[in-house]
């Protein structure tokens, strides 16, 4: 196994636990090895994509064993480290062929809504509480450039038939408790969840023919079918392997020229009470998406906490002390009247980006499949892509699978050091453009 801090490591290694997971009661991880060493299907990654693929495979092939292996435990991986926004609108409306952007968007909206509906049914049927709240989301701009960007985005909303309400500085202040933003809008196309609770619930309610092995990283994959998957708990053979580990598929030797790993950072306050809590707006839960991609995401969390998410780093996690200072600065610029204090939890999380914002979903080679490259919007997208990939693997066709097959694939990325230079330059440029949106 490679060094814990080296870029050759085949799975993410975090400096601290997920704050979302720390807020939940302790859970007993499923770490027992699978007794048999040969399976029909082996899924690498127990995030939203991997669990969706495993669940659907198990439903369609109840006579077969599905093995899921993950390097960490449910709630501590990347799936339990995001901001908990479940947004059912497109982020990338490009598709090969001759479809118009509007047609593409409508197909994606239908697909993402199907993923959201499936997640809602699974949480209801599983009987677990993940804080499901259909509260919508705000987009807010602190700068004239940011406002122009938001107004341009609303042109798409109008074309898509998405309802929204525009808000000036005073209206935003009433709803968010800050006069930092000059313009924004609200739409109902978002559900809030406690992400660690959601992924833990999905992991603990899998069908009986799915065997989950947590805390069991994959070191390498050999063979061409059956595949030999080398894990901490020993070697397993699988007729079919599904890569659902995002950019870390590249560390196992696949899609190397298509994916990059990006880390983002979040801080959550202690529970705020009384006057401090009253200054955070009218509702007990809301969230703000920034006008610039490298801007700061905010979320008031039901129960009295507040989350701040910001900053990007390439391939490796940055020192959390420095990231905490950046997050604290972003929070205090928006809420100077709350005073200075430390976050109770600060953590990093990895995601996978591609050069053109497209995901890879499909067959890599005979018997080996992947759904990777979520581009920072992986809960709903990962869920529906994992479900559809499972259906593709067993040969079940559908119009939605045809649409997915027509989506644009990730474009080619140059190797390091050119890739690193390009990504770092892009991050620096976007950070300068973000300005006060950070």
């Amino acid at each position: 196994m490679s060094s814990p801090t080296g870029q050759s490591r085949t799975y993410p290694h975090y400096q601290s636990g997920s704050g979302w997971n720390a807020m939940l009661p302790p859970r007993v991880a499923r770490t027992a090895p699978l007794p048999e060493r040969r399976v029909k299907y082996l899924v690498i990654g127990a995030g939203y994509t991997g669990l969706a693929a495993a669940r659907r495979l198990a439903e369609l092939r109840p006579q077969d064993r599905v093995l899921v292996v993950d390097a960490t435990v449910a709630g501590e991986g990347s799936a339990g480290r995001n901001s908990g926004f479940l947004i059912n609108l497109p982020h990338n409306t490009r598709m090969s062929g001759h479809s118009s952007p509007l047609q593409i968007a409508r197909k994606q909206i239908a697909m993402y809504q199907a993923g959201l509906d499936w997640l809602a049914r699974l949480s209801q049927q599983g009987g677990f509480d993940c804080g499901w709240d259909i509260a919508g989301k705000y987009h807010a701009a602190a700068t004239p450039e940011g406002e122009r960007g938001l107004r341009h985005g609303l042109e798409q909303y109008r074309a898509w038939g998405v309802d929204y309400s525009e808000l000036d500085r005073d209206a935003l202040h009433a709803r968010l408790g800050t006069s930092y933003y000059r313009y924004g809008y609200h739409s109902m196309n978002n559900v809030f969840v406690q992400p660690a609770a959601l992924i833990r619930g999905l992991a603990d309610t899998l069908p009986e023919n799915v065997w989950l092995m947590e805390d069991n990283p994959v070191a390498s994959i050999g063979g061409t079918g059956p595949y030999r998957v080398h894990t901490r708990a020993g070697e397993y053979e699988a007729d079919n392997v599904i890569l659902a580990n995002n950019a870390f598929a590249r560390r196992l030797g696949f899609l190397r020229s298509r994916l990059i790993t990006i880390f983002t950072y979040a801080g959550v306050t202690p529970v705020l009470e009384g006057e401090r809590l009253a200054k955070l707006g009218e509702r007990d839960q809301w969230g703000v998406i920034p006008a610039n991609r490298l801007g700061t995401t905010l979320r008031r969390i039901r129960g009295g906490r507040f989350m701040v998410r910001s900053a990007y780093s390439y391939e490796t996690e940055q020192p959390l002390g420095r990231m905490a200072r950046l997050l604290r600065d972003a929070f205090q610029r928006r809420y100077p009247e709350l005073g200075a204090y430390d976050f109770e939890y600060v953590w990093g999380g990895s995601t996978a980006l591609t050069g053109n914002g497209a995901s890879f979903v499909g067959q890599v080679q005979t018997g080996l499949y992947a759904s990777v490259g979520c581009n920072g919007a992986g809960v709903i997208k990962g869920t529906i892509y994992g479900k559809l990939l499972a259906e593709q693997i067993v040969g079940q066709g559908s119009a939605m699978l045809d649409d997915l097959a027509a989506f644009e694939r990730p474009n080619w990325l140059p190797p390091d050091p050119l890739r690193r230079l390009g990504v770092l330059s892009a991050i620096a440029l976007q950070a300068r453009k973000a300005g006060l949106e950070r």
Side-chain angles (χ1 to χ4, degrees):
M1 192 71 68
S2 57
S3 165
T5 57
Q7 288 192 32
S8 60
R9 193 182 184 105
T10 58
Y11 56 96
H13 178 75
Y14 296 114
Q15 299 173 56
S16 71
S18 162
W20 292 113
N21 205 35
M23 297 177 212
L24 297 174
R27 169 183 170 274
V28 177
R30 298 168 63 176
T31 58
L34 177 65
E36 61 261 35
R37 291 284 166 170
R38 176 75 179 266
V39 294
K40 183 73 171 179
Y41 305 103
L42 190 152
V43 180
I44 300 174
Y48 301 105
T49 305
L51 294 185
R55 184 182 297 273
R56 189 61 176 147
L57 285 170
E59 292 173 348
L60 296 171
R61 294 292 185 268
Q63 73 280 7
D64 292 324
R65 172 72 75 189
V66 182
L67 174 60
V68 182
V69 295
D70 196 274
T72 184
V73 300
E76 287 296 345
S78 299
R81 291 171 177 266
N82 62 74
S83 298
F85 289 69
L86 275 58
I87 301 171
N88 62 341
L89 294 177
H91 292 75
N92 176 22
T93 57
R94 288 174 290 190
M95 187 186 294
S96 60
H98 302 286
S99 297
S100 72
L102 181 57
Q103 291 173 321
I104 296 165
R106 286 174 174 165
K107 290 176 179 180
Q108 290 181 327
I109 289 169
M111 192 176 293
Y112 299 158
Q113 186 61 49
L116 183 62
D117 292 342
W118 196 45
L119 276 177
R121 288 196 300 272
L122 293 177
S123 65
Q124 292 166 1
Q125 294 167 0
F128 56 86
D129 180 13
C130 60
W132 194 275
D133 183 9
I134 307 172
K137 59 179 171 50
Y138 294 94
H139 291 251
T143 64
E145 183 179 2
E147 179 178 343
R148 286 192 293 273
L150 292 188
R151 290 185 183 277
H152 178 72
L154 287 180
E155 295 177 10
Q156 285 190 319
Y157 274 36
R158 289 190 286 272
W160 298 344
V162 174
D163 292 331
Y164 61 88
S165 56
E166 293 182 271
L167 303 161
D168 61 14
R169 190 186 299 273
D170 290 339
L172 287 168
H173 182 271
R175 298 195 184 196
L176 309 179
T178 176
S179 57
Y180 192 81
Y181 298 106
R182 57 183 285 142
Y183 171 80
Y185 61 88
H186 180 267
S187 75
M188 289 302 298
N189 300 86
N190 172 68
V191 173
F192 285 119
V193 295
Q194 212 282 23
L198 176 57
I199 198 64
R200 281 167 53 160
L202 294 171
D204 292 338
T205 57
L206 289 165
E208 290 186 0
N209 56 323
V210 178
W211 190 284
L212 173 61
M213 291 177 63
E214 301 171 71
D215 196 25
N216 186 35
V218 172
S220 64
I221 301 173
T224 57
Y227 290 92
R228 300 185 305 276
V229 180
H230 301 275
T231 79
R232 180 182 289 164
E235 181 181 301
Y236 288 88
E237 284 193 345
D239 297 321
N240 300 277
V241 171
I242 297 91
L243 300 172
N245 56 343
N246 249 333
F248 286 85
R250 179 165 55 89
R251 309 284 181 89
L252 292 173
F254 304 98
L255 302 168
R256 286 177 171 171
S257 62
R258 299 293 186 267
L259 302 164
I260 62 172
T261 307
I262 291 291
F263 286 81
T264 64
Y265 304 88
V268 167
T269 69
V271 174
L272 304 176
E273 297 178 350
E275 187 177 326
R276 277 184 166 178
L277 196 58
K279 292 178 179 178
L280 294 178
E282 300 167 343
R283 291 203 56 192
D284 64 352
Q285 180 155 244
W286 50 259
V288 175
I289 305 294
N292 181 282
R293 186 165 189 170
L294 262 67
T296 294
T297 299
L298 305 178
R299 180 175 167 186
R300 179 175 174 176
I301 304 167
R302 182 167 292 155
R305 296 183 186 272
F306 196 85
M307 187 209 75
V308 184
R309 189 176 199 94
S310 194
Y312 275 33
S313 64
Y314 173 66
E315 291 293 340
T316 56
E317 195 178 19
Q318 295 300 298
L320 288 186
R322 181 159 67 87
M323 294 297 103
R325 289 191 291 273
L326 292 175
L327 295 170
R328 193 178 302 115
D329 173 69
F331 185 35
Q332 290 175 358
R333 280 188 284 113
R334 288 159 174 81
Y335 296 95
E337 68 279 10
L338 293 183
Y341 53 87
D342 290 331
F343 294 110
E344 185 170 353
Y345 305 107
V346 177
W347 68 92
S350 67
T351 189
L353 301 187
T354 60
N356 57 352
S359 300
F360 182 96
V361 187
Q363 183 171 271
V364 179
Q365 59 192 46
T366 302
L368 192 141
Y369 305 84
S371 178
V372 295
C374 69
N375 289 282
V379 182
I380 295 180
K381 190 186 295 183
T383 296
I384 192 62
Y385 285 0
K387 180 176 184 289
L388 290 172
L389 180 61
E391 293 171 1
Q392 176 189 331
I393 291 169
V394 303
Q396 179 174 304
S398 68
M400 198 168 284
L401 260 175
D402 292 340
D403 291 339
L404 180 60
F407 283 17
E408 188 178 35
R409 292 288 182 101
N411 60 1
W412 178 84
L413 294 168
D416 281 332
L418 291 178
R419 180 185 303 183
R420 170 178 288 274
L421 289 172
V423 173
L424 293 179
S425 297
I427 290 175
L429 175 62
Q430 288 300 318
R432 287 195 298 272
K433 289 177 63 176
L436 291 176
E437 308 295 352
R438 296 192 74 184

